[in-house]
Amino acid sequence: ELLILDEPTFGQDQRNAEELLALLRELHAEGRTMVVVTHDMALVAEHATSVAVMSGGRLLFHGPTRAAFARPELLATARLSPPPLAQLAARLGWQGVLTLEDAVSQLAPQPIGVPSA
């Protein structure tokens, strides 16, 4: 019911990492809980629904992934960096962009009279 993985994609080539992540998504869809310990913030941004941020053996935050990434001071305290795409988006002034899907939604034309998100 519970699977704990430590840096599961470290050292994996792209194909094997994608196969592993697909398997983990299947297991999660079946109701299993996945706990992934990682410093790979792109992996976290793409796949995690909630996160626990730790530093020095202390729990600094536990909650939704987007809420953690919305707090740059929290990530800095834990010596974590947002994924490169999120860093670029922040420089462009795009709020809440963590994934490629988020970035594409920022680029999508908005109908006239409808404010952008």
Side-chain angles (χ1 to χ4, degrees), residues 28-79:
H28 185 258
E30 293 172 1
R32 291 183 176 84
T33 299
M34 305 290 137
V35 175
V36 177
V37 179
T38 186
H39 292 89
D40 182 346
M41 294 298 99
L43 175 72
V44 171
E46 286 285 337
H47 300 283
T49 56
S50 65
V51 296
V53 178
M54 299 185 70
S55 179
R58 292 185 1 221
L59 179 64
L60 303 178
F61 174 88
H62 180 254
T65 302
R66 288 189 180 280
F69 280 111
R71 297 179 50 194
E73 76 288 348
L74 169 70
L75 298 178
T77 299
R79 290 186 240 137

